[in-house]
Amino acid sequence: MHNDREVTEQRLDRVLDQRIRPAVHARSVPLQVEVWDVSGEPVPVREGLDAPYRPARTGDRWGPAWTTSWFKVSGTVPAEWAGLPVEAVLDLGFATHSAGFSAEGLVYRADGTAIKALNPRNTWVPVTESAVGGEEFTVHIEAAANPVVMHTAPGELSFGPTAVGGRAPWLGDPAADPGEPLYRLRRLDLAVVDRPVYELVQDLEVLGQLMRELSPDSPRRWQILRAVDRALDAVDLQDVSRTAAAAREALAPALAAPANASAHRISAVGHAHIDTAWLWPLRETVRKVARTVSNVTQLMDDHPEFKFVMSQAQQLAWLKEHRPEVYARAQEKAKAGQFLPTGSLWVEPDTNISGGEALVRQFVHGKRFYLEEFGVETEEMWLPDTFGYNAALPQLMKLAGVRWFLTQKISWNTTNKFPHHTFWWEGIDGTRIFSHFPPVDSYNGELSGAEVAHSVRNFQDKGAVNSSLVPFGYGDGGGGPTREMLARAARLTDLEGSARVEIEGPADFFARAEQEYAEAGSAPVWSGELYLEFHRGTLTSQLATKQGNRRSEHLLHEAELWAATAAVRDGHPYPYDALDRLWKTVLLHQFHDILPGTSIAWVHREAEETYAAVATELEDIIGAAQRALAGAGSDTPLVFNAAPHARSGAPAMGAAPRTTATEDTPALPHPDGLVLDNGVVRIVVDTDGLIASAYDITAGREALAPGTRGNLLQLHQDFPNQWDAWDIDAFYRNNVRDLTAAESVTALPGGGVRVVRTFGDSRIEQTLTLPPGTRRLLVDTVVDWHEREKLLKAAFPLDLRAAHSSAEIPFGHVDRPTHTNTSWDAAKFEVCAHRFLHVGEPDWGAALVNDSTYGHDITRDVRPDGGTTTTVRLSLLRAARFPDPDQDQGTHRLRYAFVVGADLHDAVREGYHLNLPERVIPGSGPVEPLIAVDHEGVVVETVKLADDRGGDIVVRLYEAHGVRARATLTPGFALDSVTVTDLLERPLQDPASCTVTEAGELRLSLRPYQILTLRLRRAEEA
C-alpha cells in the first residue's frame, strides 16, 4: 500500500474546518440586534436591562478599550424547526487566538438571571431541545471590551513594549485614550444544532489528534488513518447532515478499541485559572468570575459527570456579594458534588514575597470561607501559576489541615528540569507534604491529543506510579471547560493508543497516587524551597506595591498586638470587623500578579491607593490602642516597641520610658572623607560618598574586602529575552555602570552623612546614619527614578569566605550555597530574602536588612592575595516597560542597613527593628507585655485575640535560628488554660511542645523552625 498519510491528514484538516464544523449550525436565521454603550464603569444588571437601546446590526464595530456594551438580541423560531434543538450563536467578534484574554460577555434572560458566558471559543447559548414554531427568543448580553494587552497566538507571543503595534501596554492605563472600537459583531443568529454533525466533529477531532501523536511505525496510527479515510469518503460535502451518521459508523470501530492495560491514567480536573488581576483590573475579575461560574454550572446541567474546582475564596466571596443568584447555583452544584471548592487559600498568592503571618491568614480566611459557606474542609493547596514556593509552606500547609500540594509553574524552569512529578515536599522544619506537578505542563488544558500524549511522555515517575492530573479549561482570564473538552474526555476514557482519561476531583487523584506509592515503595523527596528558574524580576518590579504590602503586614502586626494588649489591660474595644476586612484587603493584593509587580498600570495605581487607605485606618487603630494603654495624667515619653526583641529600654511587645541615647553618631573629618564612629563600629565615607571602610572595633576586623568600597550603586541594562516585568536574565551582569560620582557628600548637623548622586534623568539622595551602641549603618534612600530598562543594585563586597547565605523566609531562613558548582546552584543568580540576608564565617559575619527589598544576589571570588570576597547586592529598582510602560517611574523612599559583625540573631533582630520602628507617645507609666519569652531565638510573630471573639489571647511564635530551643513563655495575666492549636485556632494534640508550670508559666520545646500557635484563656477575676 502506498504511503498517503500526509494526504489524508491534510484532507481531514480542510474538510473539518471548511465543511463539517460549519454544518453544525448550517440552518440559521439572523437575530434582531440593539445596543446600548455604557460610558464609564460597568453598571448594575438591572440598569443594563432597562437601558435605552438603539438599533444595530452584524458588522457594526463596538467597544473602545475597557468599555461595556449591552446588546439586546431577539428573534422568532421558524415554524419549520418545530421539534428540533435550537441554539443562539452569538459571536461578538472575539480574537480567537487568545481564549482567556479577549472580550467576554454574559448572557441574561429578561428577568436578569444569567444563562452562560460568551468568550472567544464559546459562542453558543441554549434555546430549546425541542423547538416550537413561532416561539419568541430574547436575551441581553453584557459585553466587556477588554483589550488584548498580550498577544498569545502560537509563535506570536508578545511580552514587551512592541506588543500589538506598540499600543498594547498603554491600554493598561485607565487614563489613556480608549481609542477606536476594538471589535466587530460577527454573527448573531438562531440556529438548529445538528447533533450528528456535532458528534462527528468530536469523533474526528479526537481520532485525528491521537493519530498525529502516535509513531508512524505504530499499527494503531494506520488503523485510525484508514478509519478517517473511510469516514471522509462517507461524507457528502454538499449534504453533511444527511451523511454524518454513516461517517460516524466508519469511525466507530476505531473509537471502540480499548486502551492498553498499562495505559497511563489521567485525572481530568475541570478548572478555570482566573487571575484575580493581571492584564485587567480587579473590577473586571469580579465579572470574569460570574461569567465562568455561569458557564460551568450550565455545563453541569447537561453533563452530570462534570466536576469543576474553584481555588480562590476571594472570588467566591465576590460572587456572593455581587451576583448572589450565580453564587446560589455554585452552592447547589457543590451539594451535588460537581462544584468543588479547593485550594484552601483566600487568593492564589505570591509565596516568595508574602510574609509568614500573611500566608497564615491566606489559609485561615480561605479555609474558613469554604467551611462556613460550603461545609467543606479543603485538603489541597492549589497554586498552579505562582512564581516559586518558599520552604516554610509544607509546615504551614500541615498546620492548616492541608494534605496535598499542586503546582505547574516549575515546568517553566529555563535551566534544570525538575526530576519528579509526584513526590514528598519537605520544608525547612522537616514537614513533608504529598505533592504533584501535572506533567501536561499547563494549567489551561484542552484535553487535546497533544496534551494527553505529552503528559504520558513527560511523566517522570514511570514504573513507580502511573497516574497524573490535568487541569482542563480555558483560563488566565477565565472561561473554563467547554462541551467540546467534555466530549474529548468521554472518548478518551478507554481508547487504544491514549492514556485513560477520567473526570474527577483532585482528592480522588491524590488519594490514588498516595496509594500507588504505598504499594510501589516510598515516593521521592525534594527538600527545601521550590525555586522557579524564571521570573526572577518579580522580586523587584513595582516597588511601591511591594512597599505597600510590607508596610501593611507590619501595621497589621502592630494593630493586633496593641489592640489585644489594650483589650486585656483596659477593656478597650477590639476592632474584630475592621481587622478582618483589612486583612482580606491585604491578602487580595498578594495575588501572584499584583504583589510581584506584573500587572497593568491600572492595577498597580489602584493598589497604591488601597495601601494608603489601609495604612491610614491601621494607624488610627494603633494610635487609639496606644493612647488607651499610655493613660492620662503624665507627659513621660513612652517607647512602644512592637518588635519581638527589647530595645531602647522598652521590652519586646511592651512600652517603657527610653533608656538609650537618641542622637545619631556625628560625622567627623577623616583623611579619606568623613568618619562615623560609635565605639562599636567605625564607618569611613570617602569623598565619592562610598563606604571605604567598615571596621568592627570589638572584633578588630575590617568588613570590606581590600580595594573595594561598600554601598556601591550599580546600574545594569535590563532587557530580558521574555516577559519584561517578570524576568531578569543572567546576562544582565555583562553590562554594568558603577555610580561613583557624587554631586555632594556632606556631614549632617544631627549626625550622619548625606550623599547626592545624579545620573541619566535620575537623582539619588542617601542619608547614612550610625545609631549609638549599634552595629547597624542605616542607609535611607530617596530615588527620583526616570530610567528605562535598567536595574539598580547596591553592592557590599565583604572580606569573608561564606559557604552559604542565609536569607529570611516566612518563619525562618533558608541557606543557599554561594558557589555555582552545579547548574541548580548557578540558576539561583537572583534570590529572595525578606527582612535580612546574612553571610559569614563560623565566628564572624555581616547582614543586610531592609524595609522593602526582596531581590538579592550573592557572588564569591578568590583574590590574588588568597582571600575571598563575598559580594552581597540588593536589587533596588527596575524599569521594565511591559505590561506597565511607566513601571516604577517617579520618587521612592526605601531603607536598608549594613550590620557589621552580625550573627544570625543580630540579623533577625535588626530585621524586625527596621520594619517595626519605635513609636513614642506620652504616657503615665510602662505597659507590661501580654507575653514575654526568655529565648532570643524563639520569636513571637503574632499576638491577637481569638477569631471566635471569645476573648482568649492567641500567640503565634517560631524557632528562628534553626536549632532546638527550650524557652519559657510568661503571660502578663493570670492564666486559666492553654491550648496548642492549628492555624484556624482549633485544638491540636501536641503536649510535647508546651507544658504549664504551677506558676502559670509555659515551658516550650521547639524543633528547628517549628511554628507554634497557642490559645491562652485568662483566669476569671475573683
Side-chain angles (χ1 to χ4, degrees), residues 94 102 105 167 306 368 390 472 475 516 587 604 870 907 988 993:
F94 303 131
S102 187
R167 186 166 179 261
F306 173 42
R368 191 169 286 152
N390 75 72
F472 73 96
E516 282 185 320
L587 300 180
H604 290 290
T870 300
L988 286 177
S993 295

Side-chain angles (χ1 to χ4, degrees), residues 919-941:
R919 295 175 182 267
V920 180
I921 66 170
S924 57
V927 177
E928 181 186 359
L930 288 184
I931 299 296
V933 178
D934 67 352
H935 193 297
E936 65 178 16
V938 176
V939 174
V940 176
E941 177 66 22

Side-chain angles (χ1 to χ4, degrees), residues 550 807-808 816 831-837 850 853-856:
R550 176 79 72 91
E808 187 188 35
R816 302 183 180 100
V831 297
C832 183
H834 280 222
R835 286 168 292 218
F836 74 80
L837 189 141
N850 70 84
T853 298
Y854 294 90
H856 297 73

Side-chain angles (χ1 to χ4, degrees), residues 158-469:
S158 296
F159 28 64
T162 59
V164 193
R167 186 166 179 261
W170 281 266
L171 291 173
D173 185 346
D177 178 3
E180 296 297 315
L182 299 175
Y183 301 104
R184 189 183 301 274
L185 296 178
R186 189 176 292 137
R187 183 181 183 184
L188 298 161
D189 290 347
L190 274 181
V192 173
V193 188
D194 195 320
R195 298 293 186 201
V197 175
Y198 173 82
E199 297 297 339
L200 175 60
V201 170
Q202 312 316 312
D203 292 345
L204 287 170
E205 279 196 341
V206 166
L207 287 173
Q209 291 172 2
L210 173 60
M211 175 178 65
R212 285 173 166 86
E213 295 303 319
L214 298 171
S215 167
D217 298 326
S218 164
R220 175 63 170 161
R221 178 161 183 164
W222 288 91
Q223 290 165 4
I224 295 174
L225 186 80
R226 294 303 164 220
V228 169
D229 238 347
R230 290 190 293 271
L232 296 178
D233 287 343
V235 174
D236 183 342
L237 299 185
Q238 280 67 52
D239 195 353
V240 175
S241 179
R242 181 180 59 82
T243 54
R248 293 199 71 203
E249 286 180 14
L251 296 173
L255 286 165
N260 297 330
S262 61
H264 186 72
R265 182 171 179 175
I266 288 177
S267 297
V269 177
H271 179 236
H273 180 63
I274 305 176
D275 284 310
T276 300
W278 181 28
L279 304 179
W280 45 84
L282 289 169
R283 64 93 153 145
E284 194 57 32
T285 309
V286 175
R287 300 202 292 178
K288 284 177 177 288
V289 171
R291 297 175 196 129
T292 295
V293 175
S294 297
N295 265 352
V296 299
T297 52
Q298 189 279 330
L299 268 182
M300 289 170 185
D301 289 341
D302 297 336
H303 297 272
E305 80 285 359
F306 173 42
K307 291 180 171 62
F308 175 83
V309 301
M310 196 154 183
S311 59
Q312 302 186 68
Q314 169 69 87
Q315 295 182 359
L316 287 168
W318 278 334
L319 195 65
K320 180 182 179 182
E321 176 185 358
H322 296 281
R323 299 307 308 271
E325 80 286 0
V326 180
Y327 184 68
R329 287 274 286 158
Q331 289 185 307
E332 169 197 332
K333 296 301 183 182
K335 291 176 183 176
Q338 290 182 276
F339 190 94
L340 306 176
T342 191
S344 304
L345 301 164
W346 188 246
V347 298
E348 292 180 8
D350 175 276
T351 68
N352 282 322
I353 303 169
S354 300
E357 188 61 25
L359 289 171
V360 167
R361 304 308 173 92
Q362 290 283 357
F363 284 108
V364 168
H365 288 291
K367 293 205 66 161
R368 191 169 286 152
F369 182 90
Y370 294 139
L371 281 164
E372 293 174 354
E373 294 291 325
F374 293 89
V376 173
E377 175 85 35
T378 52
E379 294 186 298
E380 313 88 3
M381 184 169 177
W382 184 277
L383 279 179
D385 188 34
T386 300
F387 311 144
Y389 309 89
N390 75 72
L393 282 172
Q395 185 180 187
L396 291 175
M397 283 188 260
K398 184 174 182 180
L399 289 172
V402 170
R403 297 174 57 189
W404 303 308
F405 171 62
L406 178 140
T407 187
Q408 176 271 323
K409 204 67 173 186
I410 299 297
S411 70
W412 288 40
N413 275 4
T414 55
T415 303
N416 300 283
K417 183 178 177 65
F418 195 80
H420 315 297
H421 281 110
T422 306
F423 61 100
W424 290 102
W425 179 21
E426 181 179 286
I428 52 174
D429 72 311
T431 299
R432 291 180 177 179
I433 292 290
F434 195 69
S435 304
H436 182 67
F437 293 175
V440 68
D441 289 345
S442 173
Y443 48 81
N444 293 325
E446 300 179 33
L447 296 181
S448 68
E451 290 175 348
V452 171
H454 178 74
S455 294
V456 176
R457 289 193 298 265
N458 189 43
F459 188 56
Q460 297 284 90
D461 305 301
K462 296 180 180 75
V465 290
N466 198 31
S467 300
S468 68
L469 183 150

Side-chain angles (χ1 to χ4, degrees), residues 747-941:
L748 297 175
V753 178
R754 176 175 294 143
V755 181
V756 177
R757 306 183 193 280
T758 57
F759 57 95
D761 296 320
S762 302
R763 181 180 189 273
I764 296 181
E765 180 178 308
Q766 292 191 310
T767 302
L768 284 64
T769 54
L770 184 65
T774 73
R775 298 179 170 277
R776 179 183 71 247
L777 176 71
L778 179 64
V779 184
D780 194 330
T781 302
V782 176
V783 186
D784 187 17
W785 179 249
H786 296 285
E787 304 308 298
R788 302 283 185 177
E789 295 170 348
K790 295 290 189 293
L791 170 62
L792 180 67
K793 283 185 170 269
F796 290 82
L798 306 176
D799 186 17
L800 54 82
R801 183 171 178 81
H804 62 264
S805 63
S806 298
E808 187 188 35
I809 64 169
F811 298 107
H813 65 269
V814 62
D815 293 335
R816 302 183 180 100
T818 56
H819 59 68
T820 55
N821 280 1
T822 71
S823 59
W824 295 89
D825 302 322
K828 296 180 181 179
F829 58 81
E830 185 82 2
V831 297
C832 183
H834 280 222
R835 286 168 292 218
F836 74 80
L837 189 141
H838 178 268
V839 291
E841 296 168 354
D843 62 344
W844 190 89
L848 287 174
V849 300
N850 70 84
D851 73 352
S852 53
T853 298
Y854 294 90
H856 297 73
D857 74 276
I858 306 96
T859 56
R860 196 177 73 181
D861 298 289
V862 176
R863 306 187 299 267
D865 66 2
T868 298
T869 300
T870 300
T871 301
V872 180
R873 299 197 302 166
L874 304 92
S875 299
L876 304 182
L877 278 165
R878 298 188 67 211
R881 302 190 69 190
F882 182 83
D884 176 2
D886 292 320
Q887 178 194 300
D888 284 318
Q889 300 299 298
T891 301
H892 306 271
R893 182 187 178 193
L894 54 93
R895 297 186 304 161
Y896 54 90
F898 179 33
V899 189
V900 179
D903 60 19
L904 197 58
H905 172 66
D906 296 324
V908 173
R909 181 192 66 244
E910 296 294 345
Y912 273 103
H913 283 180
L914 184 63
N915 285 273
L916 291 166
E918 301 170 0
R919 295 175 182 267
V920 180
I921 66 170
S924 57
V927 177
E928 181 186 359
L930 288 184
I931 299 296
V933 178
D934 67 352
H935 193 297
E936 65 178 16
V938 176
V939 174
V940 176
E941 177 66 22

